[in-house]
Amino acid sequence: MGRRKAFLSGVLCLALMFSVPISPIWADENAAPEPDLELAIEQDRDVLGLEQENDEQEILDEALEGVGDEDALGDESQEAVDEDAIEVNPTAAGYSIEYQAHVAFEGWKGWVENGARAGTVGKSRSIEALNIKLKGDGLKGSVEYRTHIQNRGWESSYVKDGKTSGTTGKSLRTEAIYIRLTGQVAETYDIYYRVHVQNFGWLGWAKNDEPAGSSGYGLRMEAIEIRLVEKGKTGPTSAVTTAFKKPAQSLIARAHVQNVGWQGWVAEGKTTGTTGRAYRMEALCLQVANADYSGSIEYRAHVSGIGWQGWRSSGAVAGTTGQSRQMEAVQVRLTGQLAEIYDVYYRVHSANIGWLGWAKNSEAAGITGFSCRMEAAQVRLVAKGGKAPGSTDNHTIELTYAAQACVASKGWLSQVSGRQVVGTTGQSLRMEAFKLSVESGVSGGIEYRAYIQDTGWQGWKRDGAIAGTEGESKRIEAIQIRLSGDLSKYFDVYYQAHSERLGWLGWAKNGASAGTTKISLRLEAFRVVIVSKGGPAPGSTAGAYRETISVFSALNSASGSRSITTFGGFSLSTGARNRLQTAINSVTSRGYNMSFIMVDITTGKGVAYNADQPFYSASTIKGPYVACLGAKVPSSVSSWRSTMESTIRVSSNEGYNALRNAFGAAPMRTWCSEAGVSTAIANSNYTNLSSRDLAKLWLRNYTYFTSGVSNAATVQSWYTSSLNSVIHYNLGSRYYMNTKPGWIGLSVHAANDAGIVWANGRPYIVAIMSNSPGNVRVLDQVVLAIDGAHNEML
């Protein structure tokens, strides 16, 4: 010991004298690169991904429970192994075994032989590679060996006679080894070997191509001893008898999740994917780790837009990545001996529903056909015929729907299903009765009722019973549909009514009203769509039910004819029609063209003339533009207030140009889109548009002014006495109104006015346009005649 201290002291002194840098001795090599799990899948099915020391720490902790604990290891702990107590037989005469180790941070060590230690103990350094060879003459044969390498698994083939197994320069640990003899050497000798493993210490002796070391734990092999023993003689023994350690056979799983990507591997029974975050699961991998039996695990995914994919196995990807497609269901099965010894159970967490029941051995788990995303999964192995991990109820949900309608003059039509139309369209036929039914493996059913002409709402019907009337010639005007029992937990029902004059309305949901009441319009058809709970509506839900007519639909229904026409079920008296025609003539007789449209906001009734001829907007376009800034850029109402107000009250061109320069066309494009007119109208400061377009833009202004938004009343107040408004000039003493005219008589001609007239609680929208050269007063008679027509609607 004294000589050793003196030697070390001398080395240290020499190092200091010549300033030789001394490399640090690291306590642990775990700072090596993160494991490449995909590579592990390809080359080591037994330990797929379990070697990761960070991402799968939970699995590793479970697998290593007790490792490194004296009490847990008991007789097999390193302290229980006394090298001096190991019984060793001498190497057989004539042949010996030589070997050398490449050690982390140290490189290749010298050759040792016949049971000597190669590698290190107590320095936390891994063996990264090994060379092994025979020494002796007279016998044919070789020594062959292969190692288990970090991130790579078992080498695919053996090397022999001094060739390198493992890696150098890559900081990859070896974890286990196979060694065998061949030829006459194998007939004469047995080869014994044991390894020292991180946390386990010295393991027992392996013999003749048995594995020594560990896999599945991510632990380094630190030292090795190898011996040749003549055939028939007793080999070396030790207190530890286990030569190779690996975790017990189990399933592992991982998922590819929206906004997350690939998650780490989890042990069987644990959740892969996410819950409570509304993220779709996009792909799934399963693997039997540390398999003790032949066979594999196979699985396939039901993917949105694709359906059932083909079967995948043992770590391959089921589902998709990079396509934003949701998994909706999964099937899993075992093959070979695994299928004879185990059942595989699995369940999925579906969007807005939660965990479904446990499926088993190729059964479907999840919901198909209803766009219901799968968010998470759990998978378990259970001994053949063993008890399921939990309830197996409703592990998959399938549902079929059917409907049938009774229609005036046709009677009962053929049964339909899915999204097909129930009833008729384009034939002006009332629906008088209908019945619905669903079939599924889930408790509950479908319930529905009808709103009947002169009767009102009937009571609820269920599963094939008739709603409505037969033989009474009474129209259905509205419907309500809902699900019951467990069906209502798993699904939402949407339905859409087709009503007289209005066409298809918006989609109603789960018992809400669809259609109309109080305005005597027949229901002509409907359609039904059932979606997974919380799933998206099949289309717009706006305007599913009306007690008044949709003004937007009414404006669309108006004729563009160059004659006076009415819409929304309104008819003009002869006197009112004559007054309108006289007013039109007062403009056209001067050589000008004109157009107008007026619609009552409460009833959707209206009157129009030449509603689709485009005219130059002049300053009338300022009315929608300033309103859209108030709604879409709320801060503008305070920061640009004076500019916006002057643009409306006195039609300031400078103010309007400043607003356009500051905010551009984007807010107006949105306004046009919401009003149902071409967004091209927004591209220029001034544009060409029809009176129908201008009325739709003012309908959008109306919804903003009446929305209750904090700044809406302020903006609306700017339109009460707009300069040169011919509507205000003629009607302002009788009604409150919001208007904005436009006029020009230069290179282009226009005299226009439009807005909302609040006529004694029955507001109407009016838009009047002409190519008169700037003289808005030419429209006086038109304004009065239109108001007279509106009075007939009241």
Side-chain angles (χ1 to χ4, degrees):
M1 181 63 72
R3 288 194 301 272
R4 182 179 180 188
K5 288 183 177 178
F7 173 75
L8 291 175
S9 298
V11 171
L12 181 60
C13 289
L14 287 172
L16 292 172
M17 288 175 61
F18 293 101
S19 300
V20 177
I22 300 176
S23 300
I25 299 177
W26 304 106
D28 197 333
E29 65 178 6
N30 286 340
E34 283 293 317
D36 184 342
L37 190 55
E38 297 296 341
L39 191 56
I41 291 173
E42 296 180 32
Q43 298 201 15
D44 186 6
R45 302 291 188 186
D46 290 336
V47 295
L48 181 65
L50 289 175
E51 298 168 356
Q52 299 189 59
E53 295 177 319
N54 294 317
D55 292 341
E56 288 72 52
Q57 190 62 47
E58 182 180 352
I59 300 175
L60 184 58
D61 290 343
E62 291 179 7
L64 293 179
E65 186 175 354
V67 174
D69 186 298
E70 289 186 36
D71 296 331
L73 288 172
D75 291 340
E76 294 191 359
S77 68
Q78 185 172 352
E79 285 75 7
V81 181
D82 184 351
E83 290 190 58
D84 294 335
I86 298 173
E87 180 183 347
V88 178
N89 289 314
T91 302
Y95 266 80
S96 64
I97 191 79
E98 295 183 317
Y99 43 99
Q100 67 172 162
H102 187 280
V103 177
F105 306 107
E106 296 184 17
W108 285 108
K109 311 295 288 185
W111 289 87
V112 298
E113 61 181 81
N114 299 335
R117 179 188 300 164
T120 63
V121 173
K123 299 174 69 174
S124 298
R125 295 187 177 182
S126 61
I127 291 177
E128 297 179 339
L130 284 166
N131 295 330
I132 307 174
K133 62 184 179 181
L134 292 170
K135 183 178 180 180
D137 296 316
L139 297 177
K140 294 181 179 179
S142 299
V143 58
E144 298 181 340
Y145 42 98
R146 63 177 180 142
T147 54
H148 187 284
I149 302 172
Q150 174 188 356
N151 298 343
R152 298 185 178 183
W154 288 106
E155 292 177 308
S156 58
S157 60
Y158 286 78
V159 298
K160 65 180 180 179
D161 299 333
K163 298 292 178 61
T164 297
S165 175
T167 64
T168 60
K170 297 183 178 180
S171 299
L172 298 177
R173 63 180 174 267
T174 58
E175 297 177 351
I177 189 168
Y178 282 101
I179 308 177
R180 67 189 182 192
L181 302 173
T182 65
Q184 292 176 332
V185 177
E187 297 171 0
T188 307
Y189 296 102
D190 294 318
I191 189 164
Y192 285 82
Y193 43 96
R194 68 170 184 165
V195 299
H196 188 279
V197 175
Q198 172 191 359
N199 293 341
F200 289 133
W202 284 106
L203 300 182
W205 289 90
K207 173 186 175 184
N208 296 341
D209 211 23
E210 295 172 348
S214 69
S215 70
Y217 297 122
L219 300 177
R220 60 184 170 266
M221 191 166 70
E222 298 177 336
I224 187 170
E225 296 176 352
I226 310 174
R227 290 183 177 273
L228 290 181
V229 176
E230 289 185 48
K231 285 286 185 183
K233 291 190 176 181
T234 302
T237 60
S238 69
V240 176
T241 58
T242 301
F244 181 73
K245 286 182 174 288
K246 68 175 183 178
Q249 175 176 279
S250 67
L251 283 178
I252 54 175
R254 68 169 180 165
H256 189 279
V257 177
Q258 172 191 4
N259 297 334
V260 176
W262 281 111
Q263 296 178 310
W265 291 86
V266 299
E268 73 173 78
K270 298 295 180 68
T271 298
T272 186
T274 61
T275 61
R277 301 176 69 181
Y279 290 167
R280 62 180 174 267
M281 180 186 289
E282 298 179 340
L284 176 69
C285 295
L286 299 177
Q287 175 69 45
V288 178
N290 313 300
D292 295 323
Y293 304 100
S294 66
S296 64
I297 187 166
E298 297 182 338
Y299 43 97
R300 65 174 183 161
H302 188 281
V303 179
S304 63
I306 296 176
W308 285 109
Q309 295 179 313
W311 289 92
R312 310 289 191 261
S313 65
S314 301
V317 175
T320 62
T321 60
Q323 299 184 38
S324 298
R325 296 180 183 271
Q326 64 193 20
M327 286 181 61
E328 297 173 345
V330 68
Q331 292 175 294
V332 186
R333 67 188 182 192
L334 302 172
T335 66
Q337 288 181 330
L338 283 171
E340 298 172 4
I341 296 170
Y342 293 102
D343 292 319
V344 60
Y345 281 89
Y346 42 98
R347 66 173 181 167
V348 306
H349 189 281
S350 294
N352 303 309
I353 295 173
W355 289 107
L356 302 182
W358 289 89
K360 169 187 174 185
N361 298 343
S362 297
E363 293 175 342
I367 300 175
T368 59
F370 298 96
S371 299
C372 184
R373 69 179 175 270
M374 190 172 137
E375 297 179 339
Q378 295 175 344
V379 187
R380 292 281 301 275
L381 287 181
V382 174
K384 199 69 177 180
K387 185 178 180 181
S391 172
T392 59
D393 293 341
N394 300 331
H395 57 78
T396 185
I397 300 176
E398 299 177 357
L399 182 149
T400 58
Y401 149 81
Q404 192 172 13
C406 182
V407 174
S409 79
K410 289 180 178 272
W412 285 100
L413 304 180
S414 298
Q415 190 177 81
V416 299
S417 61
R419 294 174 180 244
Q420 291 179 288
V421 173
V422 186
T424 62
T425 61
Q427 300 181 48
S428 299
L429 297 176
R430 66 180 175 269
M431 183 182 296
E432 297 179 349
F434 69 95
K435 49 189 175 181
L436 307 176
S437 63
V438 295
E439 292 185 7
S440 73
V442 180
S443 67
I446 190 166
E447 299 176 344
Y448 43 94
R449 64 176 181 165
Y451 186 94
I452 308 299
Q453 170 189 355
D454 301 327
T455 302
W457 287 108
Q458 288 184 318
W460 288 95
K461 310 298 181 182
R462 177 184 173 92
D463 297 327
I466 294 174
T469 61
E470 291 183 279
E472 298 184 32
S473 299
K474 290 188 175 183
R475 64 181 174 266
I476 294 176
E477 298 179 356
I479 59 172
Q480 295 174 341
I481 304 174
R482 67 189 183 191
L483 301 174
S484 64
D486 282 349
L487 276 178
S488 66
K489 298 178 183 178
Y490 300 140
F491 297 101
D492 293 320
V493 59
Y494 283 91
Y495 40 98
Q496 180 185 35
H498 188 283
S499 294
E500 174 188 359
R501 293 192 3 239
L502 301 180
W504 288 109
L505 303 179
W507 289 89
K509 172 186 176 184
N510 295 346
S513 297
T516 67
T517 63
K518 303 180 183 179
I519 51 178
S520 302
L521 297 181
R522 63 180 172 266
L523 179 75
E524 298 177 339
F526 65 87
R527 50 191 172 193
V528 178
V529 175
I530 300 175
V531 303
S532 64
K533 198 70 179 176
S540 173
T541 58
Y545 169 70
R546 291 283 185 270
E547 290 184 350
T548 58
I549 300 295
S550 165
V551 180
F552 180 80
S553 298
L555 285 171
N556 278 337
S557 70
S559 170
S561 171
R562 199 179 179 93
S563 59
I564 300 169
T565 58
T566 60
F567 54 91
F570 171 57
S571 297
L572 278 171
S573 69
T574 302
R577 182 177 292 275
N578 290 338
R579 284 189 292 274
L580 273 172
Q581 189 63 60
T582 299
I584 292 169
N585 293 341
S586 71
V587 178
T588 58
S589 64
R590 301 185 188 190
Y592 310 138
N593 291 326
M594 68 157 298
S595 74
F596 69 80
I597 190 168
M598 180 272 290
V599 61
D600 182 87
I601 292 174
T602 305
T603 64
K605 297 176 182 180
V607 62
Y609 169 79
N610 195 24
D612 290 328
Q613 180 177 344
F615 289 85
Y616 186 66
S617 68
S619 291
T620 51
I621 200 65
K622 297 173 184 176
Y625 188 80
V626 169
C628 84
L629 293 184
K632 302 303 179 182
V633 192
S635 61
S636 66
V637 177
S638 56
S639 58
W640 289 78
R641 175 167 182 160
S642 62
T643 304
M644 293 169 70
E645 185 173 1
S646 66
T647 299
I648 299 302
R649 289 196 183 278
V650 299
S651 200
S652 169
N653 290 334
E654 294 80 4
Y656 179 56
N657 291 336
L659 294 173
R660 291 287 304 211
N661 289 335
F663 299 102
M668 188 63 176
R669 287 195 193 100
T670 303
W671 210 244
C672 289
S673 177
E674 293 173 352
V677 301
S678 171
T679 56
I681 290 172
N683 292 339
S684 302
N685 287 16
Y686 302 96
T687 186
N688 292 316
L689 74 167
S690 68
S691 59
R692 191 197 306 267
D693 292 335
L694 188 54
K696 287 183 178 180
L697 289 169
W698 268 96
L699 177 59
R700 183 65 186 88
N701 284 13
Y702 172 83
T703 61
Y704 166 52
F705 292 161
T706 60
S707 66
V709 174
S710 59
N711 64 17
T714 298
V715 175
Q716 182 185 11
S717 69
W718 301 338
Y719 294 77
T720 56
S721 57
S722 184
L723 179 67
N724 286 340
S725 170
V726 66
I727 300 173
H728 185 271
Y729 180 83
N730 285 281
L731 304 176
S733 62
R734 284 186 277 167
Y735 311 129
Y736 174 82
M737 62 187 59
N738 307 121
T739 59
K740 179 66 190 77
W743 62 94
I744 187 169
L746 300 176
S747 58
V748 290
H749 294 173
N752 310 322
D753 202 359
I756 308 162
V757 177
W758 301 81
N760 299 323
R762 288 290 296 273
Y764 63 87
I765 289 172
V766 59
I768 310 170
M769 306 191 77
S770 76
N771 62 355
S772 170
N775 179 15
V776 293
R777 296 302 301 274
V778 75
L779 304 177
D780 282 347
Q781 291 187 53
V782 178
V783 171
L784 293 169
I786 289 173
D787 185 62
H790 181 259
N791 288 334
E792 289 196 349
M793 299 175 185
L794 303 182

